[in-house]
Amino acid sequence: MEKRVRFRSGWLPWLLVAPQLVVVLVFFFWPAAQALYQSVLEQDAFGMDTQFVGLENFQRLWDDETYVDSFRITAIFSVLVAVVGLSVSLLLAVMADRVIKGSGTYKTLLIWPYAVAPVVAGVLWLFMFASPFGTVSFLLRQLGMDWNHLLNPNHAMALIVLAAVWKQISYNFLFFLAGLQSIPKSLIEAAAIDGASPWRRFWSIVFPLLSPTTFFLLVINVVYAFFDTFAIIDAATQGGPGKSTSILVYRVYYDGFKALDMGGSAAQSVVLMVIVIALTIFQFKFIEKKVQY
């Protein structure tokens, strides 16, 4: 039978959760309400002249082919960041779980990238791939590949995906490693005694037991790809070449602060918020069913 905490005072539970409620109201609900309000207005850059336009801002978005194409760009970028990031992190966590000598140094080096600011991560990878003097771009040219992320959209997409994955890989690694270390070794040893190969043991025992961790990281990485990669894109490609790496969150910034379209930028933020909420609900409603707790 589930044990529940009962308070003698009716106001004490509300007092205990009040700080968190204040944070959520101030930093989520209030900005979201402001975005909804501004999305139906047309105003100048300084907010001196404001006019109610209804859904006209949203209509202009759907009539803009570059904005509609940013959905495709965001989908490709988010899938690559989530899939590549989780796959590489899981591989590194499995390797770290087996390392005996020098395991502390190995784990510390993998954790370090998480301390790097996103904009710094973008600049670091930009320097490595900058043509023609970047270290990586120089090696690619020696191998016969003419790397130029300033002109080639595929190269630019690869650059920001690598930077975003590298920045997030430490976070994923920590959770995967903790999940691996929490799995009872007796289960794996019993499967080995029964003759199961290492590959079979991983997919039949280890990975199913890691499914709660994997599901949690999937949700976190999708949100990360949609929001927290803005600084990486701004530092590395600034949405270029053209608008080939301009994901939805970068379009919100560009149209609001550079194009000075406040109403359109607010409408885009509302659309982005709805998409992320819908994706999160979808993951909890359908993907969580495959999670084995």
Side-chain angles (χ1 to χ4, degrees):
M1 184 177 179
E2 182 183 0
K3 295 183 179 179
R4 301 187 63 181
V5 177
R6 297 185 180 275
F7 295 91
R8 296 180 180 179
S9 174
W11 55 267
L12 182 58
W14 293 101
L15 180 63
L16 294 174
V17 299
Q20 184 63 34
L21 290 176
V22 171
V23 170
V24 172
L25 289 173
V26 173
F27 293 101
F28 180 76
F29 286 105
W30 175 250
Q34 287 291 98
L36 285 170
Y37 173 69
Q38 294 178 3
S39 66
V40 296
L41 301 177
E42 184 70 31
Q43 55 184 335
D44 61 13
F46 302 99
M48 302 298 292
D49 184 20
T50 303
Q51 181 181 359
F52 178 79
V53 294
L55 299 179
E56 184 178 327
N57 289 324
F58 294 95
Q59 183 61 44
R60 284 193 293 111
L61 292 180
W62 306 126
D63 293 338
D64 185 356
E65 294 182 0
T66 60
Y67 177 73
V68 175
D69 190 55
S70 64
F71 282 87
R72 178 188 62 84
I73 297 170
T74 305
I76 294 173
F77 175 74
S78 302
V79 170
L80 288 175
V81 169
V83 173
V84 175
L86 291 177
S87 301
V88 175
S89 301
L90 179 58
L91 176 62
L92 294 174
V94 171
M95 295 172 62
D97 193 40
R98 297 180 179 179
V99 170
I100 299 177
K101 293 183 179 181
S103 60
T105 303
Y106 179 79
K107 295 172 185 177
T108 301
L109 292 175
L110 287 174
I111 294 171
W112 272 359
Y114 190 63
V116 178
V119 64
V120 176
V123 172
L124 287 174
W125 283 84
L126 176 62
F127 282 167
M128 289 191 293
F129 282 90
S131 302
F133 304 111
T135 305
V136 179
S137 63
F138 177 78
L139 294 176
L140 292 174
R141 289 176 185 274
Q142 295 298 314
L143 296 174
M145 181 179 180
D146 187 17
W147 175 274
N148 193 336
H149 65 275
L150 298 176
L151 298 177
N152 192 313
N154 294 329
H155 293 176
M157 178 62 72
L159 172 59
I160 61 174
V161 168
L162 288 172
V165 168
W166 178 81
K167 175 65 180 71
Q168 187 70 1
I169 205 169
S170 301
Y171 185 89
N172 300 336
F173 168 79
L174 286 174
F175 279 91
F176 274 133
L177 183 61
L180 287 170
Q181 293 179 345
S182 66
I183 297 176
K185 301 299 181 183
S186 58
L187 298 177
I188 301 176
E189 293 172 355
I193 294 174
D194 291 339
S197 63
W199 186 258
R200 181 70 175 178
R201 294 198 297 269
F202 177 80
W203 287 109
S204 299
I205 299 176
V206 176
F207 191 72
L209 293 176
L210 277 179
S211 57
T213 303
T214 305
F215 173 72
F216 165 76
L217 290 176
L218 176 62
V219 176
I220 294 297
N221 277 257
V222 169
V223 176
Y224 164 76
F226 268 84
F227 290 104
D228 294 343
T229 53
F230 159 76
I232 293 175
I233 296 173
D234 188 48
T237 65
Q238 295 185 346
K243 294 186 181 296
S244 59
T245 58
S246 182
I247 65 174
L248 291 172
V249 68
Y250 188 80
R251 284 294 302 264
V252 173
Y253 159 77
Y254 184 90
D255 289 354
F257 290 91
K258 291 190 175 182
L260 301 180
D261 181 10
M262 299 301 177
S265 177
Q268 290 180 42
S269 66
V270 172
V271 173
L272 180 59
M273 178 178 62
V274 171
I275 291 174
V276 173
I277 292 175
L279 283 174
T280 304
I281 293 175
F282 173 81
Q283 291 176 95
F284 275 93
K285 186 174 181 61
F286 297 101
I287 301 179
E288 191 183 20
K289 294 180 179 180
K290 301 182 182 298
V291 175
Q292 301 181 20
Y293 292 101

